[in-house]
Amino acid sequence: MTQQKMINGMIFACLLSIGFLLGMPDSALAFKVPIHEEITREVFADFKVVAGSETLKFTDYAIDQILKANKDTDDLPNQVNSEKHFDGEDFVGGSQRVKDLKERVISKVTATEPYPTSARNDLGTASHTIQDFYAHSNWVELGHSSPNINTKIGREIFSGAEKNIPTCPNDPGTLGGEGLRQLTSGYFILSNNVACGVPPGKCRHGVPVVCSTGINKDDSSRQGFDTARSLAVSATKDYLNQIFSDSRMAGNVNAIKLLMRINN
Ligand SMILES: [Zn+2]
């Protein structure tokens, strides 16, 4: 870690501390934790898989574990990992992450020696990243409404606007120009050694109290929140469908029960 990075990290930690003192919710940099919880519980509690003569559902125990892994993705040390939240135009990192986690979930419950607890943790943290895509990118502003999710998520790696393309050309808190045509997401970490700064021409995530303008749709006070939330619900379901329709999972009652933590 360079000295500059350390200083940036310290300033960032201070800004967060100020936010906490002023009553900022503990997850100001993602869909608020209760919203992640609501979305995740809603999707997982309703989700059913038909295998043979049985209709299978996630148990409450499994759902609680998945919810915790989703929530923990917003813990402070994880906030600086842009790929966990589709922050800072890290679409390659984010899309690679959810694709890799899908593979890991399937591998862990279909292995000769399965690791179902670890598979559920992977599923929980993947669901967080998927949900953040809709809260942190301009997918909504590009004209997509539910159920028009980004079907590349979980299936392929994709990128967004190039580094030299301004997406918030006039003001870091307002999309404009190519930001209304190309995929982009907000930066929230210190950049150019300026609090709330972003790379030139790029967009800001927006942090309550500290620098509130930005493009995030993390809570109901933000424009586009309702659309982002319903897209996140659809996308979380789609990811589950990808997992359970994989050739190693479909009809594999044992693996399905392991992941859903259904004891015989
Ligand atoms: Zn997040």
Side-chain angles (χ1 to χ4, degrees):
M1 182 180 267
T2 64
Q3 196 178 13
Q4 190 57 58
K5 272 191 172 165
M6 274 175 65
I7 293 167
N8 281 355
M10 284 161 62
I11 299 171
F12 180 59
C14 287
L15 287 174
L16 282 174
S17 309
I18 294 165
F20 293 140
L21 290 173
L22 293 172
M24 189 166 88
D26 66 348
S27 173
L29 308 174
F31 260 141
K32 298 285 185 287
V33 167
I35 293 158
H36 275 293
E37 283 186 13
E38 271 173 36
I39 292 172
T40 309
R41 194 177 286 284
E42 184 179 321
V43 172
F44 281 77
D46 276 359
F47 195 81
K48 296 180 185 75
V49 176
V50 177
S53 59
E54 295 181 274
T55 300
L56 305 168
K57 294 184 73 178
F58 283 95
T59 59
D60 289 343
Y61 183 98
I63 293 173
D64 286 346
Q65 194 200 329
I66 288 160
L67 281 176
K68 184 177 184 310
N70 180 313
K71 177 172 172 280
D72 289 350
T73 313
D74 266 343
D75 281 355
L76 199 49
N78 291 323
Q79 284 291 355
V80 293
N81 298 113
S82 55
E83 77 281 6
K84 293 183 179 173
H85 317 276
F86 277 109
D87 286 323
E89 297 187 316
D90 194 359
F91 296 107
V92 171
S95 56
Q96 181 84 58
R97 179 172 203 266
V98 289
K99 188 169 180 284
D100 288 352
L101 284 168
K102 183 177 83 171
E103 181 55 33
R104 274 192 245 163
V105 169
I106 297 168
S107 302
K108 285 175 184 174
V109 291
T110 56
T112 316
E113 276 187 54
Y115 297 93
T117 300
S118 179
R120 281 188 292 276
N121 286 335
D122 288 344
L123 183 52
T125 190
S127 68
H128 181 106
T129 302
I130 292 163
Q131 293 157 8
D132 272 353
F133 174 81
Y134 298 95
H136 297 176
S137 79
N138 62 340
W139 187 256
V140 170
E141 290 89 344
L142 290 176
H144 302 290
S145 55
S146 190
N148 297 317
I149 58 169
N150 182 350
T151 53
K152 290 180 181 171
I153 291 181
R155 297 179 176 90
E156 51 188 287
I157 313 304
F158 58 92
S159 54
E162 296 285 339
K163 298 286 174 210
N164 61 344
I165 300 290
T167 48
C168 282
N170 304 317
D171 173 84
T174 311
L175 288 162
E178 285 304 306
L180 298 171
R181 291 181 280 275
Q182 297 190 36
L183 190 61
T184 190
S185 69
Y187 291 75
F188 70 83
I189 213 157
L190 292 169
S191 180
N192 300 331
N193 309 319
V194 178
C196 303
V198 298
K202 293 298 188 182
C203 305
R204 176 191 292 151
H205 176 281
V207 177
V209 183
V210 183
C211 42
S212 58
T213 67
I215 67 166
N216 82 75
K217 290 163 271 296
D218 282 347
D219 65 70
S220 58
S221 71
R222 313 290 304 196
Q223 205 174 1
F225 167 77
D226 289 340
T227 308
R229 189 194 184 286
S230 58
L231 284 162
V233 169
S234 303
T236 306
K237 279 183 202 164
D238 175 67
Y239 192 69
L240 283 178
N241 281 324
Q242 289 178 46
I243 289 170
F244 287 101
S245 64
D246 183 275
S247 60
R248 290 162 289 176
M249 292 294 290
N252 186 342
V253 176
N254 188 47
I256 296 167
K257 286 187 173 178
L258 279 171
L259 188 54
M260 294 181 148
R261 205 179 186 266
I262 300 167
N263 297 318
N264 288 313

